[in-house]
């Protein structure tokens, strides 16, 4: 899903340079692994890596929490703000946004789902995007995952 002015549906060393200092929880490791996987896919296609954005990550984590409460991976739930509103509320500034959502047992499984889906893969490899925030919430052995992408303003 792409929202904004137009609308439409590292290796570990490199991660440590771009990743904010969070405690080493399984969820934060999952977020770092997904962040690394996205940038590995981009590099393999000759694209620059995405920068970590704390506002996008905060918005992604909030939405991942809502998905975990509903036990369902969806872009929005009744009564929940839209993607653009969630990112603005978290302090994000953007020209364009897109979002990947999923649930699964491991970051590797989730990333393979994203890469196997043409729309999710397109979000990961979108040349217009320059920033990412990843949010993961674990519930009942499932990782509810949100990847929010933006072209920063």
């Amino acid at each position: 899903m792409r929202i904004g002015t137009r609308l439409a549906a590292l290796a570990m060393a490199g991660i440590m340079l771009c990743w904010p200092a969070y405690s080493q929880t399984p969820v934060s490791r999952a977020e770092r692994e997904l962040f690394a996987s996205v940038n590995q896919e981009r590099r393999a296609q000759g694209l620059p890596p995405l920068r970590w954005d704390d506002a996008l990550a905060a918005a992604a984590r909030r939405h991942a929490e809502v998905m975990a409460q509903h036990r369902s991976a969806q872009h929005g739930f009744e009564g929940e703000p839209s993607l653009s509103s969630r990112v603005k509320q978290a302090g994000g500034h953007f020209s364009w946004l897109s979002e990947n959502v999923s649930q699964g047992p491991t970051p590797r499984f989730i990333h393979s789902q994203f890469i196997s889906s043409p729309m999710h893969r397109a979000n990961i490899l979108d040349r217009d995007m320059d920033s990412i925030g990843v949010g993961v919430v674990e519930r009942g052995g499932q990782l509810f995952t949100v990847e929010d992408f933006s072209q920063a303003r």
Side-chain angles (χ1 to χ4, degrees), residues 68-91:
Q69 289 169 358
H70 285 88
R71 297 181 189 259
S72 177
Q74 297 181 33
H75 290 284
F77 295 91
E78 189 173 328
E80 183 185 26
S82 67
L83 171 59
S84 61
S85 294
R86 292 191 308 258
V87 172
K88 286 176 187 174
Q89 288 171 358

Side-chain angles (χ1 to χ4, degrees), residues 31 34 50 54 100 113:
E31 290 174 349
L34 288 159
L50 298 174
D54 287 330
N100 288 346
Q113 283 185 312

Side-chain angles (χ1 to χ4, degrees), residues 54-139:
D54 287 330
L56 290 174
R61 287 185 192 111
R62 280 190 211 122
H63 185 58
E65 180 63 39
V66 173
M67 291 187 339
Q69 289 169 358
H70 285 88
R71 297 181 189 259
S72 177
Q74 297 181 33
H75 290 284
F77 295 91
E78 189 173 328
E80 183 185 26
S82 67
L83 171 59
S84 61
S85 294
R86 292 191 308 258
V87 172
K88 286 176 187 174
Q89 288 171 358
H93 303 282
F94 55 88
S95 297
W96 298 338
L97 288 172
S98 62
E99 179 176 70
N100 288 346
V101 299
S102 187
Q103 71 186 75
T106 66
R108 183 176 293 179
F109 175 86
I110 290 165
H111 183 70
S112 70
Q113 283 185 312
F114 287 151
I115 292 303
S116 298
S117 161
M119 290 182 70
H120 293 105
R121 180 178 171 84
N123 286 340
I124 290 169
L125 300 178
D126 190 335
R127 294 178 183 276
D128 295 328
M129 300 304 181
D130 57 23
S131 304
I132 186 173
V134 180
V136 176
V137 172
E138 188 278 331
R139 182 169 185 172

